[in-house]
């Protein structure tokens, strides 16, 4: 448990992705089985314990600490697991009983009967130090929240594995992942070069997705239109539908399991296949704004009202497996034919096919792309007709060709410090437009400028600060930021009533007076649908 | 010693002769203030941090160490006449017998022990109880009224052993050998203490200093505190700082000054680092819980050790300590003193160049 606790502590504070990978690699390299496997399971969300609820933990703490002091401390710290970890009395006789290993904790909890869990937890809290107590409480309440996604943990695993198996990529790890269960002894043995690669298995695991590159104008000139098929790029989230051997899963692009949030899709996956598509909210076949889909994301469960107000839909792009048959080696044209045949035979509800867009010359597509302002279309996808379905982002077979961005002149309102390398810079900007005589915030952006521009922006923020709120500075209404964004939708989450998709800084208008920036009406007029 | 008797006119309760005035804590029969926040005629100063030692007093009494620090920091502005009082020497001021006793906070730090009209009152100033090679250790003095700080007056504040925290730093340096490690430290006390802790842990490479830390390190050196090889970081080449350990004031570590460093790991040595969320808010990647203040257990232990039937709490999180003392049968109340900074209010986002306070 001590090693796991040290890892959690270090990850909590590590701002950079590469630093997190480094910490994870070190952990896999120096921690024995099965503890490192349980750590991997905890980080990938594969461990859940039902019994330990926050209220029970608070009750337990109150048996050891003056309840008034506990309450004052909780007010100050603001996080129950951390408060209890810090306030739990250290036992002077602790040296006599060793802290549990992570394995003991996991197996203990898995074997515990209802009503035994808090007794176990109490015993462990007595033998652990404060970092250990924090890790234990976070582990059992199932809310690590330490900024490590399942994908990042697997990336680190592949990186560590390359010491013994230089050919291994994160996609190889994904590929074998679904055939394995925690604490994954054969996975570690394979990556250490001790055993052969585990079988991919027929489980309902995630298969690494094929991703595209943005199409640059100079790329397009070199492409032969006859070699490519075109289809619309829908503005939802890419998903993989996996229905194998009675199990059904819906995965995001990064392999996160989002099944729980979309029962209205999962309920209709009564087939045996792996499909690639775009998750949307659609009413009577008409795609709703992305904001409607947003209401349904990042939820563990959904209410009946959410299912009614924002019905989910999947627009299918590709087929990876039909039954046990792996189709990923076939060409796009062949897979497309298989997809159409499969769709015709199965007729799944809440799903349709993303239509191909026929064309002969690039200029036809240019016109179509610019004309497509309707809801749900982000642009076009170009896919080489002879391309196999490859994991990752190979350059050449697939391109995304987004329609031109919208732009708006806004005024910087607040600036916030960045993270990691940018922590000494004010690099995240909230910007607004005029409504009458006042500015209303309409979005936030932290990209689109060069390092040299960042230095200038940072200096401007420091010299024009009017108020500070912790890491945030309010600035004078004096700098116009031309913001580019893909689209704008009504939103009740924002004071302005509007939300932008993918806003980024397009140009810094040092020359333009703030009062000449755009007005809210201008932005409202850009709403489509 | 027995409790002060309010009813006995020959032995007035200490709250009749020690008062909270806008200038600070006033000891009437001696005509002096302890750590006044505004210039006064006569001041007794517990230690050299700038919220306790302020310039412009006509007459200042403090330990020789504290006076040396004040001269270093304030130069000409330090005040009128300076009078040194060694630890444990007694001095009569007006109708009060005054003694300065080590507080273990920073070099020269003292508790003020006062006897008047049959009662003994001890004003702790800031203090800690654990080993610090840069200053004399805290001595508990039995008294009738103990006036204590409560900076870390919540039971969540329990400072772990210093050695473990220093090893965390050394482990990180081994894990990221190409990066600079920059540690935010207060210029007076924490800086020198961390250096002695590192040296005791066997770290013998040069330690690089932000310019604001250099004068006090020199002063500590001249007063016999061995710090090993120190180099100026402000003029160093970026290449030299790869893998180096750099100390800087808290306000500088996550700000523009730190851009000269090679992809720095930002650390902070402070008791506040105990609470993860606080550390994260300040952009700290490597929190080191090293404090010059008593933690909760030390505060409670100290109430036990001095055995005072009455406790006044000056600054910090008074509510919890007052609650605790009351539950132990001690009369306790908060003194509403102003002007003492919450250590937390200063630092990374404060933007103050000096970056100190308690």
């Amino acid at each position: 448990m001590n090693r796991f606790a040290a890892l959690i502590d270090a990850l909590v504070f590590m701002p950079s992705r590469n630093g997190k990978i480094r910490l994870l690699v070190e952990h896999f390299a120096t921690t024995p089985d099965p503890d490192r496997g349980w750590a991997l399971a905890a980080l990938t969300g594969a461990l859940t314990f039902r019994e330990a609820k926050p209220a029970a933990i608070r009750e337990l703490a109150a048996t050891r600490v003056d309840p008034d002091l506990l309450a004052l401390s909780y007010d100050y710290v603001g996080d129950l697991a951390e408060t209890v970890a810090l306030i739990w009395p250290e036992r002077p006789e602790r040296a006599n009983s060793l802290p549990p290993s992570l394995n003991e904790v996991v197996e203990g909890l898995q074997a515990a009967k209802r009503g035994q869990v808090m007794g176990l937890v109490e015993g462990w809290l007595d033998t652990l130090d404060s970092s250990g107590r924090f890790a234990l409480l976070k582990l059992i309440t199932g809310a690590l929240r330490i900024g490590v996604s399942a994908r990042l943990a697997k990336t680190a695993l592949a990186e560590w594995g390359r010491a013994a198996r230089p050919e291994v990529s994160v996609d190889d790890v994904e590929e074998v992942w679904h055939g394995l269960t925690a604490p994954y002894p054969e996975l570690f043995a394979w990556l250490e070069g001790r055993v052969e690669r585990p079988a991919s298995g027929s489980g309902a695991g995630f298969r690494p997705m094929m991703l595209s590159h943005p199409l640059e104008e100079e790329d397009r000139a070199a492409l032969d239109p006859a070699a490519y098929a075109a289809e619309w790029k829908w503005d939802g989230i890419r998903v993989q539908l996996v229905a194998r051997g009675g199990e059904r899963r819906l995965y995001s692009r990064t392999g996160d399991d989002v099944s729980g949030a979309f029962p209205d899709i999962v309920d209709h996956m009564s087939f045996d296949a792996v499909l690639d598509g775009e998750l949307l909210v659609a009413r009577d076949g008409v795609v709703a704004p992305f904001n409607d889909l947003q209401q349904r994301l990042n939820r563990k469960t959904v209410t009946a009202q959410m299912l009614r107000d924002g019905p989910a839909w999947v627009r299918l792009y590709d087929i990876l497996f039909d039954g046990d048959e792996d189709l990923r080696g076939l060409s796009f044209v062949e897979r497309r034919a298989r997809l159409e045949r499969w769709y015709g035979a199965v007729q799944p509800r809440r799903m349709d096919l993303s239509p191909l867009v026929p064309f002969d010359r690039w200029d036809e597509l240019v016109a179509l792309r610019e004309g497509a302002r309707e809801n749900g279309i982000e642009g076009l996808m170009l896919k080489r007709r002879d391309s196999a379905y490859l994991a990752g982002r190979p350059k050449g077979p697939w391109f995304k060709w987004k329609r031109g961005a919208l732009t708006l002149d806004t005024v910087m309102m607040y600036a916030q410090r960045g993270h990691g390398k940018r922590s000494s810079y004010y690099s995240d900007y909230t910007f607004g437009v005029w409504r009458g005589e006042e500015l209303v915030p309409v979005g936030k952006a932290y990209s689109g400028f060069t390092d040299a521009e960042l230095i200038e922006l940072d200096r401007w923020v420091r010299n024009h600060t009017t108020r500070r709120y912790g890491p945030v500075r309010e600035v004078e209404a004096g700098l116009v930021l031309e913001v580019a964004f893909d689209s704008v939708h009504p939103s009740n989450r924002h004071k302005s009533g509007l939300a932008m998709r993918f806003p980024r800084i397009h140009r810094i208008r040092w020359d333009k007076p703030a009062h000449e920036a755009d007005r809210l009406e201008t932005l409202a007029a850009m709403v489509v649908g | 010693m027995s409790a002060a008797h309010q009813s006995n006119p020959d032995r007035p309760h200490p709250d009749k002769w020690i008062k909270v005035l806008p200038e600070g804590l006033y000891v009437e029969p001696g005509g002096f203030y302890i750590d006044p926040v505004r210039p006064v005629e006569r001041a007794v100063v517990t230690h050299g941090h700038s919220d306790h030692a302020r310039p412009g007093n006509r007459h200042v009494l403090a330990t020789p160490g504290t006076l040396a620090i004040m001269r270093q920091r304030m130069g000409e502005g330090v005040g009128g006449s300076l009078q040194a009082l060694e630890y444990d020497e007694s001095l009569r001021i007006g109708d009060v017998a005054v003694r300065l006793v080590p507080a273990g906070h920073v070099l020269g730090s003292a508790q003020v022990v006062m006897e008047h009209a049959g009662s003994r009152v001890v004003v702790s100033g800031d203090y800690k109880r654990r080993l610090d090679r840069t200053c004399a250790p805290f001595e508990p003095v039995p008294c009738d009224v103990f006036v204590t700080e409560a900076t870390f007056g919540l039971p969540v504040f329990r400072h772990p052993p210093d050695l473990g925290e220093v090893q965390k730093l050394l482990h990180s340096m081994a894990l990221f050998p190409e990066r600079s490690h920059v540690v935010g430290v207060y210029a007076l006390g924490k800086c020198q203490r961390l250096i002695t802790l590192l040296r005791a842990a066997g770290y013998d490479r040069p330690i690089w200093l932000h310019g604001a830390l250099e004068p006090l390190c020199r002063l500590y050196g001249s007063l016999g505190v061995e710090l090993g090889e120190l180099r100026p970081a402000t003029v160093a080449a970026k290449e030299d700082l790869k893998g180096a350990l750099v100390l800087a004031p808290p306000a500088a570590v996550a700000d523009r000054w730190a851009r000269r460093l090679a992809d720095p790991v930002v650390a902070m040595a402070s008791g506040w680092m105990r609470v993860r969320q606080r550390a994260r808010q300040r952009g700290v990647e490597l929190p080191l819980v090293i404090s010059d203040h008593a933690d909760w257990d030390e505060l409670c232990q100290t109430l036990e050790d001095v055995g005072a039937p009455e406790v006044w709490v000056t600054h910090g999180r008074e509510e919890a300590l007052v609650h605790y003392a009351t539950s132990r049968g001690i009369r306790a109340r908060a003194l509403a003193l102003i002007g003492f900074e919450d250590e937390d209010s200063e630092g990374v986002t404060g933007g103050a160049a000096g970056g100190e306070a308690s």
Side-chain angles (χ1 to χ4, degrees):
Chain A
M1 196 72 197
N2 283 342
R3 296 200 56 92
F4 179 65
L7 174 68
I8 298 299
D9 251 2
L11 288 171
V12 162
F13 294 108
M14 173 56 70
S16 90
R17 185 175 180 278
N18 286 340
K20 285 176 181 166
I21 289 176
R22 191 115 145 222
L23 291 167
L24 290 163
V25 166
E26 197 217 12
H27 189 77
F28 298 140
T30 59
T31 309
D33 291 324
D35 279 16
R36 60 183 173 179
W38 291 126
L40 181 61
L43 292 167
T44 53
L47 289 179
T48 46
F49 308 105
R50 301 233 165 266
E51 289 275 323
K53 293 274 180 285
I57 291 169
R58 187 167 184 163
E59 228 168 82
L60 177 62
T63 65
R64 296 295 191 93
V65 187
D66 178 330
D68 289 318
L69 293 178
L70 179 63
L72 285 168
S73 296
Y74 183 35
D75 285 348
Y76 176 80
V77 175
D79 177 280
L80 184 66
E82 175 152 30
T83 307
V84 173
L86 294 176
I87 207 170
W88 193 265
E90 306 276 356
R91 285 204 321 187
E93 70 271 30
R94 204 175 89 209
N96 293 331
S97 46
L98 286 173
S101 68
L102 181 54
N103 187 51
E104 280 174 69
V105 169
V106 173
E107 292 191 339
L109 289 172
Q110 286 176 339
K113 295 195 174 63
R114 186 175 281 277
Q116 295 178 333
V117 168
M118 291 320 288
L120 277 176
V121 170
E122 181 173 15
W124 290 327
L125 288 174
D126 276 337
T127 62
L128 290 163
D129 66 8
S130 75
S131 290
R133 294 190 294 261
F134 179 73
L136 174 68
L137 293 169
K138 285 291 178 187
L139 178 74
I140 63 177
T141 52
L144 286 177
R145 291 184 198 280
I146 51 175
V148 175
S149 65
R151 179 75 174 180
L152 188 70
K154 290 170 193 167
T155 304
L157 194 65
E159 170 129 353
W160 165 71
R162 278 197 284 277
R165 295 198 178 271
E167 75 286 359
V168 164
S169 74
V170 60
D171 293 323
D172 293 315
V173 173
E174 291 282 15
E175 190 69 41
V176 300
W177 181 263
H178 52 267
L180 308 172
T181 50
Y184 319 109
E186 58 283 64
L187 179 63
F188 286 97
W190 164 54
L191 292 171
E192 282 174 341
R194 294 188 277 119
V195 302
E196 289 306 299
R197 175 178 170 136
S200 297
S202 56
F206 174 69
R207 271 76 177 174
M209 278 195 182
M210 182 162 177
L211 305 172
S212 62
H213 278 268
L215 182 70
E216 308 294 342
E217 283 305 302
E218 53 277 18
D219 294 331
R220 186 165 58 84
L223 300 182
D224 171 12
Y228 283 83
E231 62 187 333
W232 296 116
K233 178 169 170 40
W234 300 99
D235 187 15
I237 63 166
R238 261 300 272 297
V239 286
Q240 185 173 91
L241 297 80
V242 182
R244 305 294 304 275
E247 271 196 79
R248 298 172 185 186
R249 295 272 184 281
L250 193 61
Y251 293 104
S252 75
R253 204 180 65 168
T254 48
D256 294 317
D257 186 345
V258 296
S259 314
F262 297 96
D264 40 350
I265 297 298
V266 175
D267 284 352
H268 298 295
M269 286 166 58
S270 51
F271 43 73
D272 201 312
V274 178
L275 305 162
D276 183 334
E278 194 85 13
L279 181 66
L280 304 161
V281 163
R283 298 184 190 90
D284 306 323
V286 179
V287 179
F290 184 80
N291 189 52
D292 290 21
L293 177 60
Q294 194 124 47
Q295 309 298 324
R296 294 204 42 188
L297 297 176
N298 301 320
R299 292 179 192 276
K300 287 251 185 286
T301 55
V302 282
T303 62
Q305 171 155 11
M306 286 159 62
L307 293 174
R308 206 165 46 241
D309 293 351
W313 189 267
V314 174
R315 196 146 277 177
L316 298 169
Y317 291 134
D318 216 323
I319 182 163
L320 282 62
F321 281 78
D322 184 351
D324 282 337
E325 190 186 355
D326 187 348
L327 306 178
R328 290 175 294 177
L330 301 181
S331 69
F332 175 75
V333 173
E334 290 166 313
R335 292 198 313 279
R336 177 75 197 188
R338 290 291 296 263
L339 177 67
E340 288 175 11
R341 206 166 80 209
W342 177 89
Y343 183 81
V346 176
Q347 299 277 339
R349 289 184 57 207
R350 294 284 187 121
M351 296 172 211
D352 62 7
L353 294 178
S354 178
L356 293 180
V357 180
F359 72 105
D360 294 316
R361 299 189 321 275
W362 291 124
D363 54 1
E364 293 170 44
L365 272 190
V366 172
L368 279 169
R369 171 173 156 271
E370 288 312 316
R373 280 285 170 205
E374 72 180 270
N375 253 330
I377 290 183
E378 247 190 295
L380 284 163
M381 290 295 301
L382 300 177
K383 298 179 175 177
R384 265 192 83 93
R385 293 174 180 277
D386 61 1
S387 58
Y389 193 97
L390 301 171
R393 204 185 292 273
K395 174 106 187 177
W398 284 14
F399 290 102
K400 57 184 163 195
W401 193 19
K402 290 196 180 185
R403 66 183 181 202
L406 301 164
T407 63
L408 190 74
D409 284 339
T410 68
V411 181
M412 188 194 291
M413 297 179 69
Y414 305 94
Q416 186 171 357
R417 283 171 183 273
H419 296 283
K421 283 189 174 177
R422 282 177 164 191
S423 62
S424 76
Y425 294 92
Y426 286 89
S427 62
D428 299 7
Y429 312 108
T430 300
F431 47 83
V433 291
W434 297 105
R435 178 170 65 193
E437 291 301 303
E438 64 159 355
L439 282 172
V440 282
V442 292
K444 197 171 170 181
Y446 43 83
S447 64
F449 38 81
T450 64
D451 287 351
E453 284 172 326
L454 174 57
I455 291 170
E456 295 279 304
L457 284 165
D458 178 71
R459 185 176 307 140
W460 191 89
V461 168
R462 288 169 191 275
N463 292 337
H464 296 84
T465 300
T466 52
R467 290 183 74 171
R468 294 181 184 189
Y469 311 89
V472 177
R473 288 181 182 224
E474 184 180 305
V475 296
E476 284 168 26
L479 182 60
V480 175
L481 300 173
E482 185 180 331
V483 173
F485 51 99
D486 287 6
S487 57
V488 58
H489 307 283
S491 163
N492 48 24
R493 287 192 187 181
H494 296 82
K495 195 173 157 191
S496 61
L498 295 170
M500 291 175 172
R501 279 279 276 158
F502 297 134
R504 61 266 179 194
I505 307 295
H506 189 53
R507 272 195 299 173
I508 307 162
R509 298 294 304 269
W510 300 106
D511 55 310
K512 189 162 187 167
H515 66 264
E516 288 180 19
D518 279 312
R519 313 192 58 78
L520 189 60
E521 303 89 271
T522 313
L523 182 61
M526 295 175 174
V527 172
V528 288
Chain B
M1 204 169 340
S2 62
H5 300 290
Q6 289 160 285
S7 53
N8 183 346
D10 296 332
R11 198 177 169 208
H13 189 276
D15 63 13
K16 297 283 185 281
W17 53 275
I18 298 180
K19 295 181 171 162
V20 177
L21 298 183
E23 292 82 358
L25 200 61
Y26 181 57
V27 183
E28 208 166 51
F32 62 88
Y33 291 83
I34 298 173
D35 294 347
V37 296
R38 299 180 193 169
V40 297
E41 181 65 27
R42 187 173 270 274
V44 175
V45 173
T46 61
H47 66 282
H49 279 138
S50 59
D51 52 337
H52 292 259
R54 296 177 193 254
N57 296 304
R58 283 282 289 277
H59 182 91
V60 178
L61 179 78
T63 64
T66 297
L67 290 178
I69 289 163
M70 290 174 70
R71 279 194 208 97
Q72 166 70 255
R73 312 192 97 185
M74 302 173 194
E76 292 298 304
V78 63
S81 69
L82 305 182
Q83 184 181 2
L85 183 63
E86 297 281 355
Y87 287 131
D88 295 324
E89 278 181 13
S90 208
L91 180 74
R92 191 142 201 101
I93 307 177
D95 216 4
V96 184
V98 175
R99 200 152 56 93
L100 299 178
V101 172
H105 177 56
V106 297
L107 192 153
S109 67
Q111 309 173 68
V112 184
V113 179
M114 297 172 289
E115 292 181 30
H116 170 73
S119 298
R120 183 189 291 159
V121 177
V122 175
V123 176
S124 73
D126 292 338
Y127 67 98
K128 70 172 173 293
R129 302 298 301 271
R130 60 189 66 200
L131 174 72
D132 180 346
R133 289 172 189 80
T134 70
C135 64
F138 179 93
E139 288 173 23
V141 178
C143 52
D144 298 295
V145 174
F146 185 58
V147 184
T148 183
E149 64 137 324
T151 305
F152 292 111
L154 277 175
V156 288
F157 292 111
R158 201 185 286 136
H159 311 324
D162 299 327
L163 183 62
E165 298 303 290
V166 167
Q167 276 164 348
K168 253 166 58 182
L169 175 60
L170 296 176
H171 177 76
S172 174
M173 292 178 68
L175 192 58
F176 301 102
E178 76 292 355
R179 300 177 68 185
S180 312
H181 280 64
V182 58
V183 187
V185 290
Y186 298 108
L188 169 58
K190 190 69 60 63
C191 170
Q192 298 79 20
R193 169 144 170 259
L194 180 62
I195 294 172
T196 61
L197 285 168
L198 283 158
R199 298 308 187 200
Y203 186 78
D204 53 9
R205 286 159 57 193
I207 293 172
W208 302 75
L209 298 180
H210 182 284
L213 306 181
E214 290 173 28
L216 282 163
C217 286
R218 272 200 300 276
L219 179 69
Y220 267 59
S222 73
L223 294 174
V225 178
E226 189 51 56
L227 298 175
E229 186 183 352
L230 307 175
R231 292 186 187 169
T234 305
V235 295
K238 199 162 191 161
E239 196 57 32
D240 290 340
L241 294 177
K242 281 192 172 172
L245 180 59
V246 182
L247 306 188
V253 296
D255 209 336
R256 284 172 287 185
W257 183 84
R259 290 177 198 165
R260 74 193 66 232
L261 306 176
D263 186 17
V265 174
V266 175
M268 181 87 76
S270 162
W272 301 108
M273 294 297 107
R274 174 92 167 150
V275 178
R276 287 171 179 75
Q277 202 49 40
R278 304 289 282 232
R280 285 181 77 173
Q281 275 165 3
R282 299 175 75 164
V284 172
E285 189 173 327
L286 182 65
L288 303 172
V289 188
I290 300 178
S291 177
D292 283 331
H293 291 272
D295 67 7
W296 173 258
D297 293 342
E298 292 172 25
L299 289 170
C300 296
Q301 183 63 46
T302 304
L303 298 192
E304 203 72 21
D305 291 347
V306 302
E310 183 163 343
V311 167
W312 301 347
V313 185
T314 54
H315 58 291
R317 259 137 279 275
E318 308 92 14
E319 198 180 352
L321 193 61
V322 167
H323 172 84
Y324 169 83
T326 306
S327 74
R328 309 281 297 186
I330 300 170
R331 285 181 45 171
R333 66 184 169 99
L335 283 189
L337 280 184
I338 51 153
F340 294 100
E341 286 166 39
D342 184 346
E343 191 180 330
D344 203 26
S345 66
E346 224 256 351
V348 175
T349 55
E356 52 145 66
S358 38

